[in-house]
Amino acid sequence: MLHNKSAIVTGSTSGIGLGIARALAAQGANVMLNGFGDAAAIAGLIEELRALGVQVRHSAADMSRPEQIAAMVAEATQAFGAVDILVNNAGIQHTAPVHEFPVDKWDQIMAINLSSNFHAVRSALPQMRERGWGRIINVASVHGLVASVNKAAYVAAKHGVIGLTKAVALENARSGVTCNAICPGWVLTPLVQKQIDDLAGREGLTEQAARARLLGEKQPSLEFATPEQIGALAVFLCSAGADQIRGAALNMDGGWAAQ
Ligand code: NAD
């Protein structure tokens, strides 16, 4: 379905971004991977996706650095001839009460989880508008819709991502460029594993008990959403069936936000 389309997926060396990159490549899209990690592991991912018959590259651009974001978009445009699909996914977490929240962590979360989306959109959007087709998918979070304690920066940034999503969708509503947000609940990735480990350590729980506690507190299905499921939603958002989904925040959260 996405043969002859090219995508950038930020933060795609791990977790949800990798799930989305795999799903887009499986539909025939060329993919610019991005994110940090072990060079051999990243080379392995590139080989894995190239075996699907698509072009694959990796950019080590730091999403907290606007000039590196612009350079990544330029590199993908030159390598693939176009950027048709932009998935803003890179994100980090830090938990602390707001009055103890480290100022540098606040700034870092705002830069990576929110401002990077703006910088990537402003770089990639003009060519999408020129061609009359584009898909911008921002991986927000259920924390873009509701809050939890000790996550002030993350919650503020993700609410901001949903606001940005709506603004971009509206500005491009009469074009073939759509912009939507995906709002996952708990997904078992390294970002969440760290929170499971912290909880287990803090409360003396086994890892399994800590996982069950995390799900039990928030996610009524008591099951994690998976990177594959989020990849499938991203593919749908790239399809013609999603032409009139604009400015939406689609939660995939096991019922979290329905409570
Ligand atoms: P992850 O830690 O598995 O992956 C994060 C990716 O972002 C990695 O590829 C990492 O290298 C990259 N990254 C981090 N900082 C970067 C930077 N400065 N520049 C470039 N790349 C950077 O995390 P994940 O759980 O897959 O999270 C992906 C996105 O999904 C994030 O925006 C996160 O907020 C969101 N999300 C995750 C969950 C969840 O339960 N895991 C739930 C809701 C939303």
Side-chain angles (χ1 to χ4, degrees):
M1 184 184 86
L2 299 175
H3 192 60
N4 289 332
K5 298 277 194 255
S6 298
I8 295 175
V9 185
T10 72
S12 48
T13 51
S14 168
I16 292 170
L18 179 55
I20 294 174
R22 283 182 168 134
L24 295 178
Q27 294 294 325
N30 301 321
V31 177
M32 173 66 86
L33 296 169
N34 160 256
F36 305 139
D38 172 63
I42 293 172
L45 289 177
I46 293 172
E47 284 316 304
E48 175 200 320
L49 297 190
R50 280 187 182 154
L52 296 167
V54 298
Q55 296 178 58
V56 184
R57 295 173 75 97
H58 170 258
S59 160
D62 182 338
M63 292 301 106
S64 67
R65 304 281 299 275
E67 72 287 358
Q68 294 189 20
I69 297 170
M72 174 186 68
V73 174
E75 187 191 335
T77 306
Q78 198 182 22
F80 302 144
V83 174
D84 307 288
I85 300 164
L86 169 65
V87 182
N88 289 309
N89 165 80
I92 58 167
Q93 176 63 284
H94 183 83
T95 58
V98 67
H99 58 285
E100 293 169 7
F101 214 90
V103 170
D104 62 328
K105 280 287 171 200
W106 172 278
D107 289 343
Q108 202 187 4
I109 288 176
M110 286 301 151
I112 296 170
N113 293 20
L114 174 58
S115 298
S116 72
N117 293 21
F118 160 69
H119 294 296
V121 167
R122 71 181 287 278
S123 296
L125 187 55
Q127 55 170 296
M128 294 179 184
R129 288 168 61 101
E130 240 167 65
R131 285 190 297 272
W133 195 93
R135 291 293 191 255
I136 298 171
I137 300 172
N138 298 324
V139 178
S141 166
V142 70
H143 283 119
L145 302 167
V146 297
S148 293
V149 296
N150 295 338
K151 295 186 175 175
Y154 189 87
V155 167
K158 294 300 188 178
H159 275 70
V161 168
I162 292 180
L164 175 67
T165 301
K166 291 175 183 174
V168 173
L170 280 185
E171 288 181 20
N172 294 281
R174 295 190 185 174
S175 80
V177 181
T178 73
C179 180
N180 293 290
I182 297 178
C183 301
W186 292 125
V187 184
L188 193 51
T189 67
L191 182 142
V192 164
Q193 188 61 46
K194 182 173 179 305
Q195 295 174 63
I196 292 169
D197 295 343
D198 289 349
L199 178 65
R202 210 171 46 240
E203 311 238 339
L205 301 172
T206 63
E207 188 183 329
Q208 207 180 354
R211 281 183 191 190
R213 170 86 70 85
L214 222 65
L215 288 169
E217 278 173 357
K218 299 283 188 183
Q219 197 140 308
S221 67
L222 301 182
E223 289 178 359
F224 290 100
T226 67
E228 291 73 22
Q229 290 165 342
I230 296 169
L233 180 53
V235 166
F236 174 68
L237 286 173
C238 292
S239 74
D243 276 355
Q244 293 308 322
I245 302 182
R246 290 167 185 261
L250 302 168
N251 36 330
M252 186 182 279
D253 62 0
W256 181 326
Q259 297 170 100

